Amino acid sequence: MPASGEWFSPTELTFSSIHVRAKTDWVHLSLGDGSGTSGQGEITSTQLDREVSPVVARLANRLRGQRLTDDSDVLAFNNLSPEQLEEDQNLATAVSGLRCAVADALAQRAQLPLADYLRALHDHEGTPERSVQLYSNINRSMLPDDSGPVDRSPDAFAEMVQRAMEAGFTTAKCAPFDEAQAPFKSSGLPREAEAGLERVRAAKAVVGPDRKLLVDCHSRFDLDSALALEPELREAGAGWYEEPVNPITHTDDLRKIRDKSELPIAGAEHGYGVALFTKLMEEDALDIVMPDVKFCGGPVEAYLIGRELEARWERSVSMHCPSGPLSLLASAHATAAFGNKIPLEHAVYEVEWRHEVMEPFEQVENGYLLIPEGYGLGGRVDPVAIAMRGRTWTE
Ligand SMILES: [Mg+2]
């Protein structure tokens, strides 16, 4: 069956959230046609003061009853340009969630798994892999839980990384510098970075020389401190240097850092659209871009970013995915479709019941996500999990 030519006409919109821990809830939308087809998308926001669901409702209202044949119809029916979405992350999150839900529904109509649908749409030959290699990001497990702050000692970082290595992951990531924030009192290596470097050394001792430890800096440094930190991180055995500064707002600084760095520079998790990621690569700001399916435009846009950039710069795309299992599944389809060279991010050990949120259960084995059988995403957020741990609403 051809992938194009299918259509989906949404008439129903519902939201659900699941409480994860402390400040984190996973938020989802479901778009239905009233006669059995529905698509889902995750709209968990990192901007805690901004609600995405009213924006989704406003955009979805323009889609009601229309015959959608392409996920980009979400932009067309709302007269939105990629430039507007580059500048407004709340809007980009709403659009990405809707585009994901529409692509999920259209792939179901085409009777194809989403990864196969993406390839069929773009005349990309071959069958995508049904499992995707992941790397383990321990960051979320080191943030406060419902009882308060957790142990963030170097030993605690090492123990969590050990758990991931024993589960079969060959790459781990941590964010050890959250106590630091530029500007710093003195020039050179800031004292506030020392505690983070201790955590990196402890974690690397567990990871060993043959496996990788990636380091995310959450944009907590400036040009001077980032230049001083790079050789220390290299010495400590880091495998990449993620966002010492924000790649999108501080592109010039990041280019200077990359110029002097031996470690590969990764980032741009808040970016929207293939044009922006291409520009960051052409401007030599990054070695590896990290599109997030929840912000970058959804799985179709993520596929386009992966396909275009990997063709020009090998090993340049690694999808960012610190959120719930629905966005991991959407990311896995995009990643499998473009044929990733770098593993996909997976936020491990945030809550022990994570896999139960999905129907069928999320399956991670030996560091790989197994994509479930079925059309579209092949999985959905389980209403039972929502009833137990969250709520549903309409806007
Ligand atoms: Mg990051």
Side-chain angles (χ1 to χ4, degrees), residues 350-363:
E350 187 172 17
V351 280
E352 299 302 326
W353 41 262
R354 174 189 163 102
H355 60 289
E356 296 175 7
V357 166
M358 295 297 287
E359 181 187 70
F361 283 2
E362 179 181 69
Q363 263 189 292

Side-chain angles (χ1 to χ4, degrees), residues 43-284:
I43 50 169
T44 303
S45 172
T46 52
Q47 297 175 306
L48 297 170
D49 56 334
R50 304 277 300 273
E51 283 278 344
V52 179
S53 59
V55 184
V56 171
R58 179 167 57 78
L59 301 177
N61 200 38
R62 289 283 185 84
L63 309 178
R64 189 190 302 262
Q66 303 283 0
R67 284 168 73 111
L68 308 182
T69 57
D70 192 291
D71 74 307
S72 66
D73 288 345
V74 174
L75 277 80
F77 282 107
N78 283 286
N79 289 317
L80 290 170
S81 68
E83 291 75 24
Q84 278 171 280
L85 298 165
E86 284 177 19
E87 281 160 23
D88 184 338
Q89 206 195 332
N90 217 40
L91 192 58
T93 308
V95 165
S96 300
L98 281 167
R99 289 184 65 185
C100 183
V102 171
D104 179 19
L106 289 172
Q108 291 172 48
R109 284 292 176 81
Q111 302 191 337
L112 292 170
L114 182 59
D116 300 62
Y117 170 78
L118 294 172
R119 286 203 175 183
L121 274 187
H122 297 279
D123 299 322
H124 185 150
E125 299 207 336
T127 306
E129 299 283 342
R130 302 298 299 164
S131 66
V132 169
Q133 191 173 20
L134 305 173
Y135 73 81
S136 56
N137 183 358
I138 65 160
N139 179 46
R140 298 247 150 207
S141 72
M142 306 305 292
L143 298 178
D145 62 19
D146 283 345
S147 326
V150 303
D151 182 5
R152 287 177 59 83
S153 65
D155 283 351
F157 272 65
E159 272 170 39
M160 206 56 90
V161 166
Q162 174 79 33
R163 184 174 167 190
M165 294 298 106
E166 283 169 5
F169 293 97
T170 56
T171 303
K173 188 167 95 178
C174 63
F177 296 113
D178 281 356
E179 291 82 359
Q181 183 61 64
F184 301 103
K185 287 206 178 80
S186 53
S187 63
L189 185 70
R191 277 187 46 202
E192 293 92 324
E194 287 294 349
L197 283 167
E198 284 301 319
R199 293 171 179 145
V200 175
R201 291 182 196 112
K204 182 62 184 177
V206 168
V207 166
D210 300 330
R211 295 177 296 201
K212 273 196 173 158
L213 178 69
L214 312 178
V215 177
D216 186 356
C217 299
H218 287 166
S219 305
R220 291 184 171 271
F221 297 95
D222 53 19
L223 176 60
D224 178 63
S225 56
L227 289 171
L229 182 58
E230 194 271 345
E232 300 287 332
L233 276 180
R234 208 182 332 130
E235 179 75 30
W240 83 25
Y241 193 12
E242 179 174 336
E243 301 214 345
V245 300
N246 185 319
I248 297 167
T249 57
H250 293 71
T251 313
D252 288 341
D253 282 349
L254 193 60
R255 187 188 305 105
K256 289 174 195 158
I257 295 163
R258 180 175 174 265
D259 257 359
K260 295 234 165 20
S261 291
E262 287 179 35
L263 286 173
I265 308 286
E269 62 197 50
H270 295 120
Y272 180 92
V274 64
L276 176 85
F277 289 100
T278 303
K279 182 163 110 354
L280 288 168
M281 289 300 292
E282 286 176 344
E283 289 179 348
D284 295 324

